[in-house]
Amino acid sequence: MLPEQFLAPYAAHSEGGAGRLYPETAHASRSQFQRDRDRIIHSSAFRRLEYKTQVFLNHEGDLFRTRLTHSLEVAQIGRSLARNLRLNEDLVEAISLAHDLGHTPFGHVGQDVLNECMKDYGGFEHNLQSLRVVDELEEHYGAYNGLNLMFETREGILKHCSLNNAKLLGPVAQRFIDRTQPSLEAQLTNLADEIAYNSHDIDDGLRSGLITIEQLEQVEFFARLWRDVQQAFPGLSGRRAIYETLRRLITALADDLIATSSARIAEADPQHIDDVRAAPPLIRFSDEMRKDATELKRFLYANLYRHYKVGRMRVKASRIVRELFEAFMAEPALLPPDYQDKSGDVNKVARKIADYIAGMTDRYAIREHRRLFSLDEL
Ligand code: MG
């Protein structure tokens, strides 16, 4: 078993926390968080990530990131950061691999539309849905619904939460009411997520031709790294120049995060995870790096996520999600039996429909829409 005594005293440890909802005896050869990671990898929601949109629709090209490869990149970056800070790598890996399990098909537009459709029935939020997947929706065990994960894994998955929802969720969401922090592992995974998507969205954006190097050179942070590459390899162009720049980008963000967070941890001097929870966020970028990263994010937002071609996809995707939801609400008998709610409670009916739609991959949603609305397809 991984010897946790090498972790920092303020890291999350297998023992001493709130543990699992349904107590289980310790495993001989795996730590509690290794078990969580393994349960997540074996879940069906995890396999669906392969066919869910990150930015580009799943079928637009085989080389673009999907939710699955995105989650793997987050885990990889997160693990290196965690090792440097003597945090629990297994917990970081578990949170990373689970953080997008609740995402709808078609990326953020799917979640926005489903949230609108659900506005009279409690709303829809993908962080909350990720938690719902691991707490309730996975059907793997005889004794309980869900994966019965550790408290720290669940709190890490619940990245955001409204005050209203927090009141309904109990201990896992208490920090949103108390305004305290989650484990350093959870804080770190959030930022590993940001490092991963900033870098891979540039890569995918360039590959798709929706953004160009010339545009990116207007972003000071990118321009600096691009110049470094040109100095190291005069005349280098194409894929190699892009990769050389992006690996420098990831390194710059990661090194800054490690240095800044180490200093903040040393200053706060937490002796236990409880001290971490009471302290301000300790895992952070420096102010200068935060500025650079924000500029990059703004660029991606304006030029990639708001590109007219991405916009066309967004309109189509929102129509699919909305029409599926409306058709099932009007005629719940069209749902597969597992998703039919017989209680007569409209909120429960709507929630089951949201679960069904959120669980769809891009191509399944497209196919299901065709099955319901196309007269050519029966
Ligand atoms: Mg993510």
Side-chain angles (χ1 to χ4, degrees):
M1 190 163 100
L2 191 82
E4 287 192 352
Q5 67 265 32
F6 294 117
L7 299 177
Y10 45 79
H13 289 73
S14 281
E15 306 303 326
R20 303 181 191 279
L21 208 51
Y22 302 93
E24 295 180 39
T25 46
H27 196 272
S29 58
R30 291 177 301 160
S31 76
Q32 300 288 13
F33 297 113
Q34 283 179 288
R35 292 173 88 182
D36 279 9
R37 187 256 338 264
D38 299 349
R39 288 174 187 202
I40 290 159
I41 287 185
H42 290 289
S43 70
S44 26
F46 184 72
R47 289 193 295 283
R48 290 190 188 130
L49 294 176
E50 184 175 359
Y51 300 104
K52 287 193 178 194
T53 290
Q54 184 65 26
V55 173
F56 296 91
L57 276 198
N58 181 261
H59 58 266
E60 285 185 307
D62 289 347
L63 282 176
F64 294 125
R65 267 68 174 187
T66 65
R67 291 260 161 226
L68 180 66
T69 56
H70 162 69
S71 301
L72 294 174
E73 289 182 37
V74 176
Q76 175 263 316
I77 291 168
R79 287 194 70 130
S80 333
L81 297 172
R83 192 176 299 189
N84 274 280
L85 296 168
R86 288 173 60 219
L87 298 176
N88 197 319
E89 279 182 56
D90 298 318
L91 173 56
V92 167
E93 190 177 18
I95 300 171
S96 302
L97 296 178
H99 85 285
D100 275 350
L101 289 180
H103 250 295
T104 60
F106 312 122
H108 279 277
V109 63
Q111 104 117 31
D112 293 346
V113 173
L114 204 48
N115 188 30
E116 274 168 37
C117 293
M118 287 290 290
K119 72 176 187 303
D120 296 332
Y121 316 105
F124 179 89
E125 211 282 307
H126 74 85
N127 278 302
L128 227 60
Q129 189 70 9
S130 296
L131 188 66
R132 192 167 154 75
V133 166
V134 299
D135 278 358
E136 290 180 48
L137 299 182
E138 281 292 320
E139 296 176 323
H140 273 236
Y141 299 95
Y144 44 75
N145 286 334
L147 304 177
N148 196 30
L149 300 181
M150 294 286 283
F151 176 86
E152 292 80 359
T153 309
R154 297 171 59 238
E155 80 164 349
I157 292 171
L158 192 64
K159 189 160 70 171
H160 306 292
C161 180
S162 71
L163 213 49
N164 278 345
N165 282 326
K167 287 175 190 153
L168 302 173
L169 283 171
V172 73
Q174 189 59 35
R175 76 173 196 272
F176 297 100
I177 298 167
D178 298 344
R179 296 173 167 276
T180 53
Q181 303 305 318
S183 70
L184 294 180
E185 286 82 355
Q187 298 180 31
L188 182 151
T189 308
N190 264 340
L191 294 179
D193 187 20
E194 189 178 331
I195 296 176
Y197 68 65
N198 270 334
S199 144
H200 66 49
D201 287 353
I202 293 177
D203 187 29
D204 285 351
L206 288 168
R207 186 186 306 282
S208 67
L210 300 189
I211 55 173
T212 63
I213 293 285
E214 290 68 34
Q215 282 177 307
L216 273 161
E217 279 184 290
Q218 292 158 22
V219 181
E220 170 48 31
F221 184 26
F222 184 91
R224 220 158 51 221
L225 299 166
W226 181 255
R227 277 197 302 272
D228 286 352
V229 172
Q230 295 306 321
Q231 241 160 38
F233 305 100
L236 193 70
S237 64
R239 302 299 322 156
R240 286 177 198 264
I242 293 167
Y243 280 129
E244 282 290 345
T245 309
L246 292 181
R247 54 188 285 253
R248 281 167 173 75
L249 177 86
I250 294 176
T251 305
L253 288 160
D255 287 353
D256 180 89
L257 182 139
I258 293 166
T260 309
S261 307
S262 299
R264 286 177 69 89
I265 292 169
E267 199 184 321
D269 196 24
Q271 299 301 312
H272 189 268
I273 189 170
D274 289 344
D275 300 335
V276 165
R277 295 185 191 286
L282 298 177
I283 306 292
R284 287 189 46 175
F285 294 118
S286 65
D287 291 346
E288 307 82 73
M289 187 55 85
R290 174 41 71 203
K291 220 173 115 248
D292 281 344
T294 303
E295 193 190 348
L296 193 58
K297 268 165 94 159
R298 281 208 194 103
F299 171 87
L300 286 170
Y301 190 82
N303 296 283
L304 180 61
Y305 311 142
R306 291 282 141 192
H307 192 284
Y308 82 94
K309 286 190 179 166
V310 177
R312 288 181 182 188
M313 180 279 272
R314 191 179 304 121
V315 169
K316 247 192 259 187
S318 58
R319 186 177 309 149
I320 291 176
V321 171
R322 185 181 307 281
E323 289 180 358
L324 284 176
F325 184 87
E326 285 168 357
F328 291 134
M329 274 306 271
E331 200 70 66
L334 298 178
L335 286 159
D338 277 0
Y339 291 94
Q340 292 189 17
D341 186 274
K342 307 281 189 204
S343 67
D345 178 342
V346 67
N347 288 307
K348 288 187 180 162
V349 172
R351 184 59 58 192
K352 285 252 183 187
I353 293 171
D355 287 340
Y356 182 46
I357 294 175
M360 293 179 183
T361 60
D362 294 357
R363 58 184 186 176
Y364 186 91
I366 293 168
R367 220 178 290 151
E368 188 73 339
H369 186 268
R370 217 181 283 147
R371 278 194 288 257
L372 283 175
F373 293 101
S374 163
L375 296 176
D376 301 329
E377 185 144 345
L378 298 172

